[in-house]
Amino acid sequence: MSVCEFKPGLEGIPAAQSSISFVDGQKGILEYRGIRIEELAEKSNFLETAYLLIWGELPTKEELEAFEHEVRYHRRIKYRIRDMMKSFPESGHPMDALQASAAALGLFYSRRDLDNPAYIRAAVVRLLAKIPTMVAAFQLMRKGNDPVRPRDDLDYSANFLYMLSEQEPDPLAARVFDVCLALHAEHSMNASTFSARVTASTLTDPYAVVASAVGTLGGPLHGGANEEVITMLEEIGSVANVRPYLEERIQRKDKIMGFGHRVYKVKDPRAIILQHLAEKLFDKFGYDNYYDIAIEMERVIEEKLGQKGIYSNVDFYSGLVYRKLGIPTDLFTPIFAIARVAGWLAHWKEQLIQNRIYRPTQVYSGLHDIPYIPIEQR
Ligand code: SDX
């Protein structure tokens, strides 16, 4: 490749050297620090997985207990953050509220000390601990309610579901949700992680790193697709309507949300696990039309677009799971962000080790030596 060749979307261009996660898009393999995602989904939990991603190794029992304790202790948010969030318009999207709140956290912890491991650890703990509380607080406050204080006797995911609904969650629901977080925690050089690394490379603070990544995750081509999937399932409405709906959209060259991936040319391994999780929830809490529509969609897309390597991605079944858990649709992407904070922080930490500011080039396609025309002559 010549240095001047422009690759839209930087497809195939390495933007970092990283040992955090590995994706084989042809075989459908995802590993965090060398461990298969299927194994982590079965045996680990979100906080342990976050520790693995950020510090590179599975924690010992003592290390995990200490980490869980610190995260639990830092769940509360300052009343000034709550007051600031209260003044956000309730019609605003929760991703925008989250981006603003994540950036605002940096105002309270502004002494930057990137060479100090204690500073790094404190920032990791605070962000993992407080982001879920901020998402839940905005959800309650936009309905006119007061936010619920975190419950120290509940673990990470059960506490988040409790803060959202003010009810202690069913154990299966809490476990399924926790696995969802682990599945979404990291995915190599995706758009939001790239954004996080570029921001990190300027040696700014980690709150700005996370805020920039949240802004990038929200778009419908990235994390925002999970919300669009539910809108699409609602529009389809019945199994009988799946084929005509998809045929029309494919003919119009519309993108089918929750399908396709820059790297995976087979079904996303996370979608396979999420489908099983959705089935567990449907088995316990009852099947509905959405599941049947989703299965039929996969069948038709495989038939129509399978030869192009377009299969379901992580955003397709996560929406189904969250909907079954009773979570409002516009919180699906903030929940993706809660999980992905782990990956962003792992990349922030890795970027700092051998940092060089990102400063790519461009292929200039404009003009040269154009004379300035005075305004009255234009
Ligand atoms: C995530 O990168 C990551 O790792 C992201 C992620 C993570 O964990 O961080 O995995 C999370 O972002 C998942 C993706 C969520 N987005 C969607 O579900 C939106 C729908 N999907 C797409 O728009 C698309 O597949 C992308 C954005 C995910 C990937 O886009 P690319 O690699 O730029 O592919 P493309 O748009 O250039 O499409 C290539 C071809 C085109 O056909 P041709 O013009 O070559 O004939 O595939 C077709 C596209 O039309 N295509 C689709 C399609 N996705 C690709 N056609 C119909 N529906 C789709 N969803």
Side-chain angles (χ1 to χ4, degrees), residues 302-318:
E302 181 169 358
E303 180 193 312
K304 302 268 171 204
L305 298 173
Q307 77 285 359
K308 278 194 189 175
I310 293 165
Y311 291 89
S312 56
N313 62 48
V314 67
D315 284 324
F316 188 60
Y317 281 102
S318 62

Side-chain angles (χ1 to χ4, degrees), residues 29-42:
I29 293 172
L30 169 60
E31 292 171 338
Y32 292 170
R33 300 285 187 185
I35 305 178
R36 287 284 186 110
I37 193 65
E38 291 79 4
E39 208 171 348
L40 289 166
E42 190 190 329

Side-chain angles (χ1 to χ4, degrees), residues 16 20 24 104 119 136 158 161 181 320 333 364:
I20 300 169
D24 183 329
Y119 172 86
L161 294 175
L181 293 186
L320 230 60
T333 319
Y364 178 65

Side-chain angles (χ1 to χ4, degrees), residues 34-62:
I35 305 178
R36 287 284 186 110
I37 193 65
E38 291 79 4
E39 208 171 348
L40 289 166
E42 190 190 329
K43 298 175 186 160
S44 185
N45 61 42
F46 172 66
L47 274 190
E48 184 186 57
T49 299
Y51 187 104
L52 168 73
L53 288 167
I54 295 165
W55 278 284
E57 287 177 350
L58 285 170
T60 62
K61 192 167 177 292
E62 293 72 33

Side-chain angles (χ1 to χ4, degrees), residues 68 71-73 75-76 133 148-169:
E68 282 174 347
V71 172
R72 206 175 283 251
Y73 180 77
R75 280 173 184 168
R76 284 178 179 71
T133 312
V148 172
R149 285 169 82 80
R151 279 242 322 250
D152 287 349
D153 59 318
L154 296 176
D155 69 18
Y156 192 84
S157 290
N159 174 61
F160 174 70
L161 294 175
Y162 163 76
M163 289 189 298
L164 265 192
S165 64
E166 304 179 70
Q167 279 170 12
E168 209 172 303

Side-chain angles (χ1 to χ4, degrees), residues 39 78 132 152 154 214 238 250-251 270 296 316 330 335:
E39 208 171 348
K78 291 182 187 294
D152 287 349
L154 296 176
V214 170
S238 70
I250 291 168
Q251 213 205 347
R270 299 166 297 176
E296 179 64 2
F316 188 60
D330 62 1
I335 288 168

